Amino acid sequence: MRWPLPSFVDLANMHLYGNLLICGGGPSIAEDLDKIRELRRHGAYIMSCNKTYDYLRDNGIRADFHALLDPMDWVADYVTRPAKGTKFLIASQCHRDVYRKLRDWDCYLWHAHSDFYGVNYPSPILEAEFKNKAWVCVPGPTTVGMRAVYLGQTMGFRTYHMFGMDSSMVYDAVKKEGRLHAYAKAKPDDAKEGWAKIQTAAGLQRFYSNEHMARQVEDFDSAMDQFAVLVKLKK
């Protein structure tokens, strides 16, 4: 908050509307690049997540927005080819190296709401230390792809297309392991892989995944329920 970094709430004044394409790095995004290009030609905006920004650039697509959330220092290497025209949305919990890497580009700060033992962080810190600055805490599930929906909602978007949000992994029966991304990315050490069975609104789902991505499936169902409530309240 002390850095010369504008708040992403400023983007709410851009009067954004239409379709927002949220692009994660799941293997299926490789099959949808033409669809993303088509929707872009018809005026849709693109919000990429994590390392997907470079992947889209490699395929001739520049994201309008790029969201980063994770606090680890290696996130600073997720974007190696920043370009003009992209607004980089950096969560306040991100490692300082992320901002140092992107500080010469169009960056905006946002705050990821987290509930720790009934306390809604980082609101108490912001209220105590930054009363005279504008800030908004964005709610949402644990993954940046799911949080991107809430970012878009705050910015003014109401229609979403989600690509590369697989949650499942491409299973290699020979190696007996899964591939989680369309590009090279190290697997997290704290997420066990295996076959998952999860009951969702679409029925019982069985797929190969890791613990983080399996959680995303449950988060998606929960998020859709929350948005249904919001729509009813607005009506």
Side-chain angles (χ1 to χ4, degrees):
M1 288 289 283
R2 295 187 178 92
W3 286 338
L5 192 60
S7 169
F8 103 106
V9 296
D10 295 346
L11 300 178
N13 299 322
M14 291 177 60
H15 305 292
L16 297 166
Y17 60 91
N19 296 329
L20 180 64
L21 316 183
I22 297 175
C23 296
S28 68
I29 195 172
E31 304 168 8
D32 291 321
L33 293 173
D34 286 342
K35 183 65 174 179
I36 293 170
R37 295 187 185 101
E38 177 188 353
L39 290 168
R40 178 66 173 277
R41 284 195 296 269
H42 287 84
Y45 291 84
I46 297 173
M47 182 182 291
S48 55
C49 304
N50 288 343
K51 293 188 72 174
T52 310
Y53 184 82
D54 280 4
Y55 177 80
L56 292 177
R57 289 268 285 150
D58 290 341
N59 286 277
I61 301 170
R62 178 190 52 77
D64 301 284
F65 308 98
H66 183 66
L68 295 168
L69 171 65
D70 296 339
M72 306 307 294
D73 57 353
W74 61 69
V75 175
D77 297 324
Y78 279 4
V79 178
T80 63
R81 298 172 56 202
K84 290 183 178 179
T86 300
K87 300 184 184 303
F88 295 94
L89 311 181
I90 303 174
S92 56
Q93 69 186 40
C94 284
H95 195 278
R96 65 187 65 186
D97 287 351
V98 175
Y99 174 57
R100 287 170 175 165
K101 183 80 170 286
L102 296 171
R103 66 190 307 165
D104 294 330
W105 302 90
D106 196 7
C107 297
Y108 294 80
L109 183 71
W110 65 282
H111 304 283
H113 164 89
S114 298
D115 185 342
F116 287 103
Y117 302 105
V119 180
N120 297 325
Y121 283 103
S123 294
I125 300 171
L126 296 169
E127 290 170 357
E129 299 187 29
F130 303 101
K131 293 181 179 179
N132 298 322
K133 284 195 174 186
W135 51 267
V136 171
C137 288
V138 179
T142 54
T143 65
V144 64
M146 286 303 307
R147 194 72 66 129
V149 179
Y150 293 78
L151 283 169
Q153 185 79 4
T154 306
M155 291 160 59
F157 292 103
R158 295 296 180 267
T159 305
Y160 306 92
H161 300 256
M162 304 183 82
F163 299 95
M165 296 286 291
D166 299 15
S167 294
S168 61
M169 305 172 75
V170 175
Y171 183 67
D172 187 324
V174 176
K175 296 182 179 179
K176 294 185 178 180
E177 63 179 16
R179 178 168 59 87
L180 188 59
H181 296 93
Y183 44 76
K185 187 174 184 289
K187 294 182 180 181
D189 295 330
D190 61 342
K192 183 181 178 181
E193 291 185 17
W195 290 97
K197 286 185 179 181
I198 299 179
Q199 185 69 41
T200 73
L204 181 64
Q205 308 294 314
R206 182 179 184 272
F207 53 95
Y208 194 86
S209 186
N210 68 22
E211 292 172 329
H212 293 175
M213 293 297 99
R215 171 67 182 273
Q216 183 173 259
V217 176
E218 298 173 331
D219 287 343
F220 182 85
D221 263 14
S222 176
M224 294 307 101
D225 289 342
Q226 291 174 12
F227 274 109
V229 172
L230 286 174
V231 170
K232 289 180 181 178
L233 290 175
K234 289 178 180 178
K235 288 181 178 180

